[in-house]
Amino acid sequence: MHSNTSRTVLDVLVKNHPGVMSHVCGLFSRRAFNVEAILCLPTDGGEESRIWLLVNEDDRLEQMIRQMRKLQDVHDVRLRPAAEETFARLGQVMRE
Amino acid sequence: MFSMTGAQLTISLLERQGIRTIAGIPGGANLPLYDALSRSTRIRHVLTRHEQGAGFLAQGMARVTGLPAVCFATSGPGATNILTAIADAKLDSIPVICITGQVPRAMIGTDAFQEVDTYGMSIPITKHNFLVREARDLLHIIPEAFAIATSGRPGPVLIDIPRDVQLETADFTHWPEIGEREPVPSCFDGDLDAAVEMLNSARRPILWLGGGVVASGAGQEMLTLAERASMPVTSTLMGLTAMPHDHPLNMGMLGMHAQRHTNMALEACDLILAAGVRFDDRATGKVQEFCPQAKVIHIDIDHSELDKLRAASVAILGDVREVVGALLPRIAPAERQEWIGYIEALKLAFPSQVPEQGGHDTPQELIRRVGELAGENAIVVTDVGKHQMWTAQSYPFMPGTGWLTSGGLGTMGFGLPTAIGAALAAPERKVVCFSGDGSLLMNIQEMATAAEQGVDVTIILMNNACLGLVHQQQELFFKANYFSSIYDVSVDFPLIATGFRWKTWDLAGAADPDAVLSEALAHRGPTLIHVPVDRDEKVWPMVPPGAANRTMLGGECHA
Ligand SMILES: Cc1ncc(C[n+]2csc(CCOP(=O)(O)OP(=O)(O)O)c2C)c(N)n1
């Protein structure tokens, strides 16, 4: 996970149910916008999940965020560039 | 305490939402729903002959009333058949609620008989979708579906209900609130200030109206704005009824099949106020070269439309009618003689292709004549092709005219079933559907539905024995290599329509076409008017796909 394009992390709070991943990821795949890495964990006793998406800082990102905010199952979308560090550490774990 | 099956619950919740008509086709996976529907005293069912017909019939009802309409399909092939109509509703922002049957929960994912992943397939073509897991979930899913379909930018919602969920009993103590349109958040004052300042200081502004203006009912406000600020007006295919067609400031449609002077005026403008439009390529041409000199004020209810294809100088998020209502009192009256004079000069130099009065010699005149006979209150439906563009260019639209056309998806076969839905929703209005022979053949089976329902639908069939618009593009862009666009067998449409129990008239060889037309349009009930059209009649002008709007082919010498 190294390149000269800069990366950022989208922090997406969603309703936790079986279709939500397809809804979110479909937005990206339909636009040929690659998601480099995904981290998803339930929060709030399982009602909600938090998805972190590691993505390239593409100029389509703002449009993606607006599209994501339109999804009914998406409760919140934020940029969280600092979380990139977490992906780097997870990368270590996966290599072990 | 109430106790009922998922199927009964679904029907009761639809009744409570005010649904009175459902279009669809039964099958194994939705038979419990149909059994419950048969016992409803409030909802009647319209049995179409194809699920795509049911989807479009619901669209016709929704497009005419602005309220959500419901359609049913069974699992598997029923669901796949209806999806085209749902995708069509998505692109034109129409509130349709599609309820499909699904195989029982335990069989989902096993490639069971008539199983397809309706949920997965409908994600990209709906505003939202649900797979119901328990009967009692319907208590919140159905009201939510109605709220989603109508709130903000409207759109279709799909609810997939497994057969065993339809049969499962749900116990509950009270009914949920009905789902309704949510209020739109109001826009920022700062954006309004900026827009006012730009509008008041513009020298060559143009007002560009889209389907969002019609949906929000902002036509009157737009007219006032245009007149006060002397702004020429253009509209998208979906926005054509916002302004009276003969208003001096109205330049008609822009884009691929606009009038030359309209596209040229856009080249010269210094400010464009884009309201309820989404910068579709059929309207903008090559978007990078659209209105090259202009700043853009963009008003839309959908945040993701703002800055999507062209960055706006001022982007205002809100309901078009509210926003324009707030702008209006602050707009300084202006005459702009120079700008209006420039556009008048363009009109003289590049006269309109649109007939000023109806006749019968060309398709455009005939469409015009039908409009004169049908009156302002008529509902006009089209299919997709040259006849659709001729109608957009020549029909005498007024703000009261209903205008139902497949703008975003451009679906052939849209016309007849949508017209049936329109006629069911507004039985007192005249419904006229302009169709082509290729398009009509795509859903011709719905003639049976129309006859059964006795709807007052008149089809004007412009028969050129080919896939006209494709034929035209092959001529212009593929060296007249007419591959697979000409029909070798000429179909006897009046005979077929008669077989479906329709009344038919034929303009072929008619001594007095106007008499035939008047008589046919005066008839109530399913009516076909067959009009032979020369294969070489073109839609002019035409911007080649992908080119800038200033590149317009054809039509120079047609004045
Ligand atoms: C379902 C579907 N298939 C294919 C097309 C591509 N297409 C656009 S216009 C057209 C020809 C339409 O022919 P017809 O309905 O006879 O109308 P005309 O152009 O002759 O007036 C075709 C095939 C389409 N729009 N929709």
Side-chain angles (χ1 to χ4, degrees), chain B residues 426-482:
Chain B
E428 69 298 342
R429 293 174 73 179
K430 187 99 214 147
V431 179
V432 177
C433 171
F434 293 94
S435 190
D437 50 321
S439 290
L440 185 59
L441 284 171
M442 288 219 181
N443 271 322
I444 198 162
Q445 74 288 342
E446 301 309 333
M447 280 192 161
T449 312
E452 208 162 77
Q453 299 295 324
V455 285
D456 188 16
V457 164
T458 304
I459 292 186
I460 319 268
L461 174 59
M462 310 211 127
N463 185 359
N464 51 11
C466 70
L467 294 165
L469 202 55
V470 168
H471 188 269
Q472 171 167 335
Q473 296 208 16
Q474 287 177 333
E475 174 170 341
L476 296 175
F477 310 120
F478 296 91
K479 303 197 173 83
N481 179 23
Y482 302 120

Side-chain angles (χ1 to χ4, degrees), chain B residues 231-429:
Chain B
M231 288 169 82
V233 182
T234 186
S235 57
T236 66
L237 180 65
M238 299 298 287
L240 283 171
T241 54
M243 286 268 141
H245 71 100
D246 53 359
H247 192 283
L249 287 168
N250 192 355
M251 303 190 293
M253 191 165 72
L254 81 171
M256 184 177 274
H257 295 296
Q259 304 304 315
R260 289 185 158 254
H261 56 76
T262 310
N263 280 346
M264 292 173 73
L266 284 155
E267 282 282 305
C269 73
D270 67 353
L271 174 68
I272 185 145
L273 174 57
V277 304
R278 56 185 183 82
F279 289 74
D280 180 75
D281 52 276
R282 285 293 186 268
T284 64
K286 190 175 182 189
V287 71
Q288 296 81 357
E289 292 175 37
F290 177 64
C291 297
Q293 314 186 29
K295 290 185 180 158
V296 177
I297 302 173
H298 189 185
I299 311 173
D300 206 285
I301 201 164
D302 180 351
H303 196 200
S304 66
E305 285 303 335
L306 301 172
D307 303 318
K308 182 178 87 174
L309 293 165
R310 166 135 180 194
S313 312
V314 179
I316 308 179
L317 179 65
D319 177 75
V320 175
R321 187 172 176 185
E322 272 175 40
V323 173
V324 176
L327 288 175
L328 260 181
R330 302 171 58 193
I331 299 301
E335 302 254 331
R336 291 191 229 279
Q337 276 160 353
E338 202 180 319
W339 178 224
I340 301 288
Y342 176 76
I343 288 174
E344 289 307 318
L346 280 179
K347 281 188 187 170
L348 282 178
F350 304 98
S352 169
Q353 308 274 319
V354 176
E356 280 173 20
Q357 278 178 347
H360 318 93
D361 292 343
T362 64
Q364 292 93 323
E365 283 168 330
L366 181 101
I367 289 163
R368 175 77 194 203
R369 181 69 189 135
V370 170
E372 289 164 2
L373 291 168
E376 277 180 29
N377 196 35
I379 296 172
V380 188
V381 187
T382 72
D383 258 302
V384 172
K386 287 201 277 197
H387 62 276
Q388 177 189 30
M389 292 301 123
W390 287 325
T391 309
Q393 293 174 336
S394 309
Y395 195 91
F397 293 110
M398 294 302 283
T401 315
W403 169 234
L404 282 51
T405 196
S406 174
L409 198 64
T411 314
M412 292 168 72
F414 171 94
L416 170 56
T418 303
I420 298 172
L424 287 169
E428 69 298 342
R429 293 174 73 179

